[in-house]
Structures are given as C-alpha cells and as structure tokens.
C-alpha cells in the first residue's frame, strides 16, 4: 500500500491485494453500499478484468431490515454491480430482531446468509471489506471487555466459518485510501448513520480514536499491535499442542474413552497457567453442547481445579484415590469436568432436564 493514507489504490496494488485468490473457482463479495465495501467491489472487478482467467465474482448485499434506506442502498449496489459486469443478490434477514445484543445478532445473521450464498454460488471464499480502521476498533472493543490474548489478536486475514473461508483483503488498508479511490473513480456510496450512533459500543470507541492518535495510538499502531499479539497467540497455541501430546503420552494405559478427555492431574498442574487454561477451554468446547465457554468461566473452573488439587495434596486422603470418589465435579457449557483418582476427566454433561419433567 502507499505510504500516503489519502492516495487512491493503484491497479498494481489492487492486484497484490487479491493475488492469492486468483485460483479460486468463485468468490462472494459482501457489499453493503458503504465506502469500504463499494471500494472492495470496484477493486475486485478491476482486478478480475485484468485476468484472462479467474474466479467468478458474485456480489451479495444483506438487508437486515433495520433501516428503511437499506432497500434503496441494495438497489444502488445492484446497479453498480451490473455496470461492472458482476452478478448481484440481495438477501434479507427475516424474523424478529432482538432488543438486546442487536449488533452481534445482525453480524451473526449476515455471516450465515453470506455462507449460504457462497455455497449456492460454488464460491470458496467470502470477501469482506474490513479495513485497518476496523481492526483498530476491534482491538479497542476487546481490550475494554478484558479479552485474553486470542481475543486481542483481533481479526485474522483469513478465517473459516460454516465451511467457507472468510477473507479480508483490505485489512491493512486505511479507510481513507478507499474513499480516495472511489472519489477518483467518481463512484458514490451510502452513508449508514448507525456508524455514528453512540448507542452502540463501536461508534463510541471510534470517536475516541482521534484523541488516541494524538498520543501515538493511531489506527496503524493499534493494528500493528493486533498483528504482534496474533503472533504471540499463535506461538502459545503451538505450546498447547505440545502439551496435549505430552499429556497423551503420560496417560499410557489410562487413555480416555472415546468422546472424552483425561489428563494426569499432577502433570497438568505442572504446566504454565495459560497452557492449562487453553487445554481446558479446548476440551470444554470440543465436548460441551451449550456453545463456546466464556473465558472468565473457564478461569473460574481452573481456579477450582487448582484449589481441589492443592487441598487433596495437603489433606493426603488416599481413600479418595482408591475408591475413585470425585474430589471435584462441575459442569460448564454442556461439559462435565471432574477430578477423580488423580486425573482430570472432561466428558459431555447429561442433558438438562426440561422444566416440568
């Protein structure tokens, strides 16, 4: 990208943005009508025209049904997509909308609809227009919520969701460059007022960025921090992989039954705290049936395990080991975690009884 954050993106730079997607059979472009996604569509169309052979591009606009202007904006996206020679589809989020957690619910619906559109189009990837500015805002949001290292890594360039790869080719690009690109091309775009609605967290944090920039914490610096944290997170994940193999070797004749995990308590306790925490998180998420576990609750679970192991060691109660009586038994996110006979066991928890039974 250009050092000048206000310069339009050149055709050469655009080719670099999409180069790794050249061999994909088809791509879905998520375009809402705002400057970022319209720039994504225009840049992708220009890139595709430069290839003798390349992926089929399909533009998808999701109308969440939350603003009366959304239908008109979807039509404007369709008109521009048609002018660019691209196929366009508008998908609508139907049904009741939650009164609380609306942004998260809308985001979940958006990705679900985009994944469905990708499968229908035979696309391997969905491209979104997240920018460097979005990355900085995401880091701030997760920071104020007390996220762990994985959360503070913010958005990855590529992630998988529902069997479809989500790609963010503009993640290193500042929003100002995208706006400059559209202005040079004389292409209009929509202005979503919810992006300035301080009833939501992201716009409130966005308003703080100019002040943070005065102290050196601009979007470029925050995005660089997210990259560095992502590297550190990847390194810890390698350590967790090694710890899992180590615990499996220690199990020997005590290998867990299918559909469960079991760790030698003393070997588990000797591992670094972050590694132990992630091992528990992996096991609970793999075997539980109530959705991903909250990090804070896993931390509470690990503290209870540590205390139970410490109490048992201090009390030195051999009968508990000999009889196999559980020293600790808790459920979390649909998983059952117990400390029995010197081992930590994680299994699916019994289904909760419905009320009235």
């Amino acid at each position: 990208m250009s050092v000048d954050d206000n310069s339009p993106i050149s055709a050469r730079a655009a080719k670099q943005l999409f180069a790794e997607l050249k061999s994909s059979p088809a791509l879905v472009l998520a375009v809402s009508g705002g400057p970022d996604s319209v720039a994504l569509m225009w840049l992708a169309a220009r890139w595709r025209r430069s290839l003798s052979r390349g992926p089929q591009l399909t533009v998808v606009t999701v109308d969440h049904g939350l603003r009366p202007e959304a239908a008109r904006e979807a039509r404007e996206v369709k008109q521009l997509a048609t002018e660019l020679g691209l196929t366009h589809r508008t998908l609508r989020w139907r049904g009741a909308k939650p009164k609380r957690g609306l942004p998260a619910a809308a985001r979940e619906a958006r990705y679900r609809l985009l994944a469905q559109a990708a499968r229908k189009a035979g696309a391997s990837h969905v491209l979104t227009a997240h920018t460097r500015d979005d990355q900085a805002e995401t880091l701030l949001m997760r920071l104020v919520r007390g996220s762990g290292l994985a959360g503070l890594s913010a958005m990855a360039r590529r992630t998988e969701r529902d069997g479809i790869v989500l790609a963010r080719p503009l993640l290193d690009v500042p929003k100002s460059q995208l706006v400059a690109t559209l202005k040079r091309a004389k292409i209009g775009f929509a202005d979503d007022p919810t992006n300035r609605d301080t009833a939501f967290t992201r716009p409130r944090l966005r308003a703080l960025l100019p002040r943070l920039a005065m102290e050196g914490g601009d979007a470029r610096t925050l995005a660089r921090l997210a990259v560095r944290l992502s590297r550190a997170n990847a390194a810890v994940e390698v350590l967790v992989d090694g710890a899992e193999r180590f615990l499996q070797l220690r199990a020997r004749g005590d290998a867990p039954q299918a559909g469960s995990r079991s760790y030698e308590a003393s070997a588990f306790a000797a591992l670094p705290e972050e590694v132990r925490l992630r091992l528990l998180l992996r096991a609970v998420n793999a075997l539980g049936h109530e959705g991903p576990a909250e990090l804070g609750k896993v931390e509470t679970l690990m503290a209870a395990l540590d205390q139970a192991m410490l109490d048992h060691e201090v009390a030195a109660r051999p009968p508990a080991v000999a009889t196999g009586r559980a020293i600790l038994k808790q459920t979390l996110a649909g998983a059952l975690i117990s400390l029995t006979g010197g081992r930590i066991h994680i299994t699916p928890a019994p289904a909760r009884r419905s009320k009235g039974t």
Side-chain angles (χ1 to χ4, degrees), residues 1-10 35-37 39 43 129-134 137 170-185 189 218-220:
M1 289 294 97
S2 169
V3 175
D4 181 3
D5 287 353
N6 295 307
S7 64
I9 298 174
S10 66
D36 303 348
S37 61
L43 290 166
H130 291 104
T131 65
R132 179 198 294 167
D133 303 71
D134 296 316
E137 293 164 10
L170 307 181
L171 202 55
D172 292 332
V173 180
K175 184 187 187 78
S176 55
Q177 271 203 295
L178 299 179
V179 172
T181 301
L182 294 179
K183 286 183 177 179
R184 170 171 286 186
F189 50 84
D218 59 8
R220 183 192 298 271

Side-chain angles (χ1 to χ4, degrees), residues 149-343:
L149 182 58
L152 293 176
S153 301
M155 293 182 287
R157 185 174 299 279
R158 292 162 61 98
T159 55
E160 186 173 323
R161 189 185 181 97
D162 299 328
I164 301 296
V165 176
L166 292 179
R168 301 176 176 92
L170 307 181
L171 202 55
D172 292 332
V173 180
K175 184 187 187 78
S176 55
Q177 271 203 295
L178 299 179
V179 172
T181 301
L182 294 179
K183 286 183 177 179
R184 170 171 286 186
K186 294 182 170 55
I187 295 175
F189 50 84
D191 177 28
D192 184 350
T194 60
N195 288 329
R196 298 185 300 276
D197 188 347
T198 54
F200 301 114
T201 303
R202 187 178 286 271
R204 289 197 299 271
L205 291 176
R206 184 177 296 136
L208 293 176
L209 280 171
R211 294 186 180 182
L212 291 175
M214 293 175 64
E215 303 296 333
D218 59 8
R220 183 192 298 271
T221 301
L222 293 173
R224 185 186 301 123
L225 173 60
V227 170
R228 290 169 175 168
L229 291 172
S230 179
R231 288 201 305 261
N233 182 62
V236 174
E237 283 293 290
V238 172
L239 295 178
V240 178
D241 291 339
E244 276 194 315
R245 291 191 293 270
F246 167 73
L247 291 173
Q248 289 169 0
L249 290 173
R250 294 278 299 186
R252 296 178 182 174
D254 297 316
Q257 297 179 349
S260 68
R261 296 190 186 184
S262 177
Y263 308 131
E264 181 185 277
S266 59
F268 180 86
L271 295 169
E273 185 175 356
E274 181 69 16
V275 173
R276 288 185 287 134
L277 181 67
R278 293 191 186 213
L279 284 170
L280 282 178
L281 185 63
R282 284 186 183 186
V284 170
N285 286 343
L287 300 171
H289 48 77
E290 295 179 1
E294 295 179 19
L295 178 60
K297 292 183 178 180
V298 180
E299 289 172 333
T300 301
L301 167 65
M302 191 170 77
L305 272 172
D306 288 347
Q307 188 61 52
M309 287 188 284
L310 179 63
D311 290 346
H312 178 66
E313 181 180 347
V314 172
R317 289 174 263 184
V321 176
T323 61
R325 176 170 58 84
I327 300 169
L328 177 141
K329 183 180 288 187
Q330 290 189 10
T331 59
L332 176 60
L336 175 64
I337 302 93
S338 61
L339 176 60
T340 308
R343 298 192 68 81

Side-chain angles (χ1 to χ4, degrees), residues 42-196:
W42 190 82
L43 290 166
R46 184 172 65 171
W47 163 71
R48 177 61 185 86
R49 287 196 302 269
S50 71
L51 304 176
S52 57
R53 296 180 61 184
Q56 175 70 34
L57 302 184
T58 299
V59 178
V60 174
T61 303
V62 176
D63 182 352
H64 294 92
L66 300 174
R67 296 184 299 113
E69 303 89 353
R72 172 181 53 79
E73 292 166 2
R75 290 193 297 270
E76 291 173 352
V77 172
K78 180 177 182 178
Q79 179 179 349
L80 179 57
T82 301
E83 293 173 1
L84 294 172
L86 305 179
T87 303
H88 178 272
R89 293 183 63 198
T90 297
L91 302 179
R92 292 175 175 80
W93 181 27
R94 304 188 185 279
K97 309 298 188 292
K99 294 182 179 180
R100 298 185 63 181
L102 182 59
R107 184 170 57 252
E108 180 66 28
R110 177 172 178 252
Y111 283 127
R112 174 174 50 81
L113 291 170
L114 288 169
Q116 292 174 2
R119 284 190 287 270
K120 187 171 183 179
S124 56
H125 296 65
V126 169
L127 274 58
T128 66
H130 291 104
T131 65
R132 179 198 294 167
D133 303 71
D134 296 316
Q135 183 75 303
E137 293 164 10
T138 299
L139 175 65
L140 287 178
M141 287 181 69
R142 295 180 180 179
L143 180 65
V144 298
R145 290 173 181 172
S147 294
L149 182 58
L152 293 176
S153 301
M155 293 182 287
R157 185 174 299 279
R158 292 162 61 98
T159 55
E160 186 173 323
R161 189 185 181 97
D162 299 328
I164 301 296
V165 176
L166 292 179
R168 301 176 176 92
L170 307 181
L171 202 55
D172 292 332
V173 180
K175 184 187 187 78
S176 55
Q177 271 203 295
L178 299 179
V179 172
T181 301
L182 294 179
K183 286 183 177 179
R184 170 171 286 186
K186 294 182 170 55
I187 295 175
F189 50 84
D191 177 28
D192 184 350
T194 60
N195 288 329
R196 298 185 300 276

